[in-house]
Amino acid sequence: QVQLVESGGGLVQAGGSLTLSCAASERTFSSYAMGWFRQVPGKEREFVAAISWSNYSRYYADSVKGRFTISRDNTKNTLYLQMNSLKPEDTAVYYCAASPSLAVTIASYVYWGQGTQVTVSS
């Protein structure tokens, strides 16, 4: 069982930046691909970014490509999401998740964090 805890959310003005972190409880963190998803009330959870266990491969949703960067530090069991040039439409609860393989679909992820709120004001 991998426990995931997100942090770093908050309120930021449009054009600003935030960095989210996701701390994992297990050393087996390094054997999982990791992803970030987000959800707005009343809408389905959507894919944001994913990274392979080795740091070698990354996927991004078109809506965040060029603005967000996913990274991980396997020595610290931590996943990151650097978010730049934030827009009001980036407002959502952001979740990190772990998957046995690199994927963009929600169903592929087996462990989830509780989420952290990101609010971007216009």
Side-chain angles (χ1 to χ4, degrees), residues 1-56:
Q1 182 90 12
V2 178
Q3 294 183 328
L4 304 171
V5 180
E6 302 94 338
S7 61
L11 174 64
V12 63
Q13 288 189 334
S17 299
L18 276 177
T19 299
L20 304 184
S21 299
C22 172
S25 61
E26 300 291 329
R27 294 179 185 176
T28 53
F29 168 81
S30 62
S31 64
Y32 288 92
M34 297 296 296
W36 286 100
F37 293 79
R38 65 187 182 186
Q39 188 170 22
V40 175
K43 294 190 176 182
E44 292 187 354
R45 192 169 298 187
E46 67 174 8
F47 169 76
V48 174
I51 188 168
S52 62
W53 66 270
S54 64
N55 255 322
Y56 184 77

Side-chain angles (χ1 to χ4, degrees), residues 2 10 13 25 35 43 68 77 83-85 103-105 110 117 122:
V2 178
Q13 288 189 334
S25 61
K43 294 190 176 182
F68 290 11
N77 292 349
M83 305 185 293
N84 298 328
S85 302
V104 302
T105 56
V110 294
Q117 176 71 46
S122 57

